[in-house]
Amino acid sequence: MYVTETDLRLDDGRQVHLYDTGAAGADPRRTVIWHHGTPNIGLPPGPLFPAASRLGVRWVSYDRPGYGGSSPVPGRDVASAAADVRAVADALGIDSFAVMGHSGGGPHALACGALLADRVRCVVGVAGLAPYGAGGPADWFAGMSDSGVASLRAAVAGRAAKEAHEAAAEYDPEMFAPADHAALAAEWSWFEKVVGPAVASGPAGLIDDDLAYVVPWGFDPLHVTAPVLILHGGADRVAPSAHGQWLAHRCPAAELWLKPADGHISVLNSGTAALEWLVEHC
């Protein structure tokens, strides 16, 4: 699949960097707006391109504010993704579409399902977090790696604490399960293409993402009425499986695929099956 990259200027003066593998007029049931993880840029998931080509899926995606070619928006919440996606879809002439997000992209995909209910046909959330605080998993941090807990507790403490944490943080291989390391050494080495560019100019996008996860999201997953697939690994040390189970229970029309042996990355090996589910349910 060939990816076209363009820049969109929004009414408020911000720039949003877009990615698109298709053309105007594509079947809306097979147009998928991808929401990237933290910290990534928005390049659509290359290892899923063969399946997407077979299924006729058109990928559209964008860099979230503060990543890649998109202007930063300090203090943004998760819900703000819906307005950006509406602007992207309008600019590309896309009336209705599906959304799919991995990791940090999961909450943002759900935001579109809740707040763009007139346009979102179905939602796939892979390895995403549940809301922090009242109503979420009883122990939100249970099952996370030590480095993940430290990172997100710093976010709970506020921007200054989070910035200080990121200034000293180092990569922790223990955040990933053995299955993740195997996936990263194989086809999901693709992440090298999206992580490096996301942090090339510093951790600002990551900081804004993590701060958004631990404050009110600006919507309730209860209001996602479109069909939802929650795909989660039982060995996930980044977003433990209790988060996926909570989301599947909260979304009215959700189906949970729990993969006991998979972690945060290796669960994407079920991405082809998730795309097939998406095409069937949209």
Side-chain angles (χ1 to χ4, degrees):
M1 302 184 86
Y2 181 76
V3 180
T4 300
E5 299 187 35
T6 58
D7 292 316
L8 173 65
R9 186 67 61 177
L10 302 184
D11 290 342
D12 61 7
R14 289 190 293 124
Q15 176 175 288
V16 174
H17 190 69
L18 308 182
Y19 307 82
D20 188 1
T21 67
D27 186 341
R29 293 172 299 175
R30 303 193 179 195
T31 297
V32 182
I33 296 185
W34 170 256
H35 293 264
H36 65 79
T38 303
N40 298 171
I41 57 170
L43 190 68
L48 297 183
F49 280 9
S53 294
R54 173 173 57 82
L55 295 167
V57 166
R58 172 190 182 182
W59 293 107
V60 173
S61 58
Y62 70 105
D63 297 333
R64 270 198 304 279
Y67 287 111
S70 294
S71 306
V73 182
R76 59 181 165 85
D77 62 8
V78 174
S80 65
D84 287 349
V85 166
R86 184 185 293 277
V88 167
D90 287 348
L92 296 176
I94 302 170
D95 292 329
S96 64
F97 47 88
V99 290
M100 181 174 184
H102 172 247
S103 187
H108 294 90
L110 288 170
C112 295
L115 301 174
L116 301 177
D118 58 328
R119 301 180 71 166
V120 172
R121 304 177 69 94
C122 55
V123 180
V124 175
V126 184
L129 292 167
Y132 176 77
D139 187 347
W140 198 77
F141 296 101
M144 288 186 190
S145 67
D146 290 346
S147 60
V149 171
S151 177
L152 289 167
R153 286 199 184 279
V156 171
R159 180 172 294 273
K162 179 62 177 172
E163 289 175 346
H165 174 84
E166 291 304 323
E170 297 181 356
Y171 171 68
D172 173 23
E174 294 301 315
M175 69 188 296
F176 292 125
D180 293 327
H181 288 291
L184 288 166
E187 65 177 341
W188 290 102
S189 62
W190 169 84
F191 274 101
E192 295 173 3
K193 297 181 178 181
V194 296
V195 174
V199 296
S201 298
L206 179 157
I207 289 169
D208 288 335
D209 269 357
D210 281 0
L211 291 172
Y213 301 142
V214 299
V215 298
W217 283 3
F219 72 96
D220 189 330
L222 180 66
H223 297 140
V224 184
T225 55
V228 175
L229 173 62
I230 301 296
L231 172 60
H232 221 107
D236 195 327
R237 299 175 183 172
V238 177
S241 60
H243 290 248
Q245 292 170 313
W246 186 93
L247 289 168
H249 178 75
R250 187 67 174 172
C251 298
E255 181 176 344
L256 174 65
W257 290 1
L258 184 61
K259 305 295 182 178
D262 278 321
H264 196 67
I265 304 296
S266 67
V267 73
L268 284 166
N269 289 330
S270 296
T272 292
L275 279 181
E276 292 170 345
W277 178 96
L278 184 152
V279 168
E280 178 183 350
H281 287 78
C282 287

